[in-house]
Each structure stands twice: as structure tokens, then as C-alpha cells.
Amino acid sequence: MPFTDVADRVWVARYPQWDVNVTLVGGSDGLLVVDTHGSDAHAREVVDDVRRLGAGEVTGIINTHWHFDHSYGNRTFRTAYGELPIIAHETAAEELARWGDADVVVLPDRTFSSALALDLGDRMVELVHPGKGHTGGDLVLRVPDVDVLLAGDLVEESATPSFGDDSWPMDWPLSLDVVLALTTSASLVVPGHGAPVDRDFVEEQRNQIGIIAETIRDLAGRGVPLDQAVETGEWPWPRERLGEAVRRGYEQLPRSQKRLPLI
Ligand SMILES: [Zn+2]
């Protein structure tokens, strides 16, 4: 059974392809599916698994961010369960419209800017945009009655979090501070990829991303040219994972914090 319960009416399935998590949150009105896997074929497998679980019908879809492995199954869920609302942060919807594969994508049709509470009948869940990070439009979903937080790819367990050409390395640590403020020492945090973790794990990852941001700020401030920055810095993670972080960080630093190299 791919879906295992991690708390009262919260089930997580971890799929080997892209090691991605799909989570279900149940209420008396039905199930919310949080992320829809990376293709029609993969999402059909998820729909089969939801039916095998027998916990009810899906009544809403959440995309934690625009990336394909979290959103390209939207259409399959609509085909299986009818015209479900697809909920995402407003920036995630824009990013998916701009960068997603138009032949595959079904766009979110219900968006929010900072926070949104959803009524599942006998329980409420909260969606919060903690700020920019892994992308410009990440959301976290909190289930307060069981102290569970779904973190999307702001937190990863099975690999170091991924800095892409759409990520915000200088903002990410501050966004994780907001995420941490939504958790307690007893919280269960479900990352976008890998096994569930606790608050200490998130704090540790926040600190590493914070060191990366500070290192980027320091290198730029000392006038180290971008093409030497990755090799010059001392990093908490393998440097081959940090090329985009450094490039994006240099781009995003305010002019006053960058110096031209002194020749
Ligand atoms: Zn992602």
C-alpha cells in the first residue's frame, strides 16, 4: 500500500520516480490531494492507489509549487474525479503558465497571495506562502489538529534542497524561518522528496541554506567574480549542487552589496 497514514487522516505515498511525495488530507467533505506526480501515467497510478486506500473521493487538488513532478498529474485527477478546484500560490500559477508544458499542464484555478484557510468539513487546513525560496511561489500546508506540515520542496530529506534557475537563494532562509514559526517541537514535517522529518531537521536545513546565502553575500561583497565564486567559497554541501544558487544569488543581491573586482 503506497499510502501510509502518518497522522489522523493524513496519508503520504512516496513514489520511486523522482522520489516524490503525494499526500492526502481527509475531512468529512472528502480528500485533498497535495501534489499530483509528474505525468499522466504516474498520476493514474496515484489515482489507483487513492482508490485502493478507500478513504473517500478526492474533492480538491493542491500544487505546492509549479514544478512538473508536483503538478503534471493535475489533468489525470480532473479526469478521474471531475472538475476539482486546483489550488496554488498565485506566483506558482503564473510560473506554471509561463514555463510548464502547455500540452500537459492544467493550470490552478484558485490562487491566493499570502494565506488561505480551507474547510474540509470537520477540519480546517491552512495554506501559507512563507516567501520566495525553492521557487517564487512555494506554499506549505498545515493541518493544525494533528500538528502536521507539508513543506513542498522548501524542505527535502532524500537529497539537498534543489536550487534551480527559478530559485531565490537569498530569500530561502527567511522563508524557512516562517515555516519554522508554523511548527512545534512535536510537528511532523512532510518534505517534497524523502521521508517525513521533525522540526530539528528543518532548522538544520535552514541553517545550511542560511550559510549558503551568507557565503554568496560575502563572496559578492569581496568582489569575487561569479565564475570563480563556486570554487572559492566554503560550502556545507557539494559544490556541484550550488552553481545555480550562486548565479541566482549574485543576480538577486542589491547593487550596494556587490563590488566590482579590483584589478
Ligand atoms: Zn521542486
Side-chain angles (χ1 to χ4, degrees):
M1 171 61 70
F3 279 102
T4 55
D5 61 329
V6 297
D8 176 35
R9 291 176 296 161
V10 180
W11 298 269
V12 179
R14 180 175 172 181
Y15 290 96
Q17 185 73 50
W18 306 296
D19 193 24
V20 72
N21 287 326
V22 176
T23 303
L24 296 170
V25 183
S28 57
D29 288 352
L31 299 170
L32 269 185
V33 62
V34 183
D35 290 339
T36 57
H37 214 323
S39 71
D40 275 334
H42 288 102
R44 277 197 296 275
E45 189 187 333
V46 182
V47 168
D48 287 345
D49 292 334
V50 175
R51 291 195 166 131
R52 251 194 303 274
L53 178 68
E57 298 281 298
V58 175
T59 52
I61 298 169
I62 311 275
N63 294 146
T64 57
H65 59 296
W66 78 273
H67 286 162
F68 80 97
D69 48 335
H70 303 261
S71 67
Y72 278 17
N74 288 357
R75 181 168 62 191
T76 308
F77 273 86
R78 280 252 175 105
T79 305
Y81 291 100
E83 280 301 297
L84 306 176
I86 303 174
I87 304 160
H89 185 256
E90 59 190 10
T91 302
E94 287 166 18
E95 290 170 334
L96 188 56
R98 192 175 326 133
W99 295 317
D101 177 349
D103 292 331
V104 178
V105 160
V106 174
L107 293 176
D109 55 2
R110 185 167 174 200
T111 60
F112 67 99
S113 53
S114 54
L116 175 70
L118 286 180
D119 187 351
L120 305 189
D122 59 350
R123 111 194 289 186
M124 299 291 290
V125 299
E126 299 163 358
L127 310 186
V128 177
H129 170 58
K132 295 171 180 168
H134 173 65
T135 68
D138 302 275
L139 67 79
V140 298
L141 183 148
R142 188 165 168 258
V143 193
D145 63 272
V146 288
D147 199 1
V148 167
L149 184 127
L150 314 182
D153 287 2
L154 286 168
V155 177
E156 288 195 45
E157 185 272 336
S158 48
T160 53
S162 168
F163 291 99
D165 61 3
D166 56 349
S167 67
W168 298 85
M170 309 312 289
D171 298 71
W172 197 334
L174 305 176
S175 300
L176 281 177
D177 286 339
V178 175
V179 174
L180 284 165
L182 299 172
T183 64
T184 71
S185 59
S187 292
L188 182 85
V189 177
V190 180
H193 303 269
V197 296
D198 61 12
R199 185 182 200 280
D200 286 349
F201 181 97
V202 179
E203 202 165 358
E204 171 75 22
Q205 202 155 74
R206 182 263 176 246
N207 290 340
Q208 293 179 343
I209 293 171
I211 289 168
I212 290 166
E214 284 317 307
T215 304
I216 293 168
R217 193 186 307 279
D218 174 61
L219 291 165
R222 289 195 282 126
V224 175
L226 175 57
D227 61 2
Q228 291 164 26
V230 174
E231 59 189 272
T232 305
E234 297 214 19
W235 310 99
W237 299 345
R239 50 190 85 235
E240 57 271 18
R241 300 270 299 163
L242 294 169
E244 280 297 330
V246 173
R247 191 183 66 76
R248 292 281 291 168
Y250 266 59
E251 236 172 62
Q252 290 156 17
L253 276 168
R255 190 176 283 278
S256 63
Q257 293 182 27
K258 280 185 274 207
R259 264 209 349 235
L260 289 172
L262 302 172
I263 300 166

